[in-house]
C-alpha cells in the first residue's frame, strides 16, 4: 500500500514579514522537511506543500511558503521514485504573508 511518512521536520521557524529582509540564515543549510515515499517505485510523485489554517482545514492560510520550487506560496516538485522507500529532502523554506486583503480581492476578479 502506498504511504507517505514524515521522517524529519524543522521544529521551529520564526515568521517574518517580506519587508524585514531577514532570510533566517541560521536554518538555510538545514532541510525543512524529509519525507519517505513508501511502495511507490517506478512512479513520478508530485509533492505539494501548502500552509493551511489549523482551525479551518478547508481554508488556505494567508501565510505561504517562499523558497526553491515555491510559487504563489505553494511548494511543488515532481520526484521520480526508484526505490521501494525513497527519501525526499525538501530544502529550507520560509513562511511569508502571501494572501492579503488586496491580493484576495484581485484573485476574486
Amino acid at each position: 500500500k502506498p504511504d507517505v511518512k514524515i521522517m524529519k521536520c524543522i521544529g521551529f521557524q520564526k515568521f517574518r514579514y517580506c519587508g524585514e529582509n531577514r532570510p533566517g540564515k541560521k536554518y538555510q543549510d538545514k532541510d525543512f522537511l524529509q519525507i519517505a515515499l513508501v511502495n511507490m517505485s517506478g512512479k513520478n510523485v508530485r509533492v505539494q506543500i501548502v500552509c493551511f489554517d489549523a482551525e479551518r482545514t478547508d481554508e488556505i492560510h494567508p501565510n505561504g511558503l517562499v523558497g526553491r520550487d515555491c510559487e504563489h506560496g505553494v511548494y511543488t516538485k515532481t520526484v521520480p521514485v526508484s526505490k521501494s522507500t525513497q527519501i525526499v529532502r525538501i530544502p529550507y523554506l520560509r513562511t511569508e504573508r502571501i494572501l492579503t486583503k488586496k491580493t484576495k480581492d484581485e484573485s476574486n476578479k
Side-chain angles (χ1 to χ4, degrees):
K1 177 181 170 187
D3 194 17
V4 177
K5 296 180 182 175
I6 297 174
M7 305 301 288
K8 181 181 172 185
C9 184
I10 196 167
F12 172 78
Q13 184 180 46
K14 183 172 174 132
F15 172 81
R16 298 278 185 203
Y17 287 96
C18 302
E20 287 185 77
N21 199 19
R22 295 183 64 180
K25 293 178 183 173
K26 181 177 178 181
Y27 296 106
Q28 283 184 349
D29 296 332
K30 298 181 181 183
D31 291 332
F32 180 74
L33 181 68
Q34 282 185 16
I35 59 173
L37 304 175
V38 182
N39 297 325
M40 296 185 200
S41 61
K43 298 179 180 172
N44 287 329
V45 177
R46 184 171 69 169
V47 176
Q48 197 167 33
I49 303 171
V50 65
C51 296
F52 64 92
D53 194 313
E55 295 170 5
R56 296 177 295 195
T57 56
D58 58 332
E59 290 188 21
I60 293 178
H61 198 277
N63 296 345
L65 299 171
V66 178
R68 190 179 336 148
D69 299 317
C70 292
E71 191 172 322
H72 304 294
V74 178
Y75 173 87
T76 305
K77 184 170 186 172
T78 301
V79 179
V81 181
S82 58
K83 303 179 217 170
S84 62
T85 301
Q86 177 95 23
I87 303 295
V88 178
R89 302 167 78 97
I90 296 163
Y92 176 77
L93 304 172
R94 298 186 327 269
T95 54
E96 286 185 1
R97 180 71 60 172
I98 300 295
L99 189 63
T100 62
K101 184 173 181 355
K102 182 180 176 183
T103 58
K104 191 173 186 177
D105 290 343
E106 288 174 2
S107 66
N108 288 335
K109 290 182 182 179

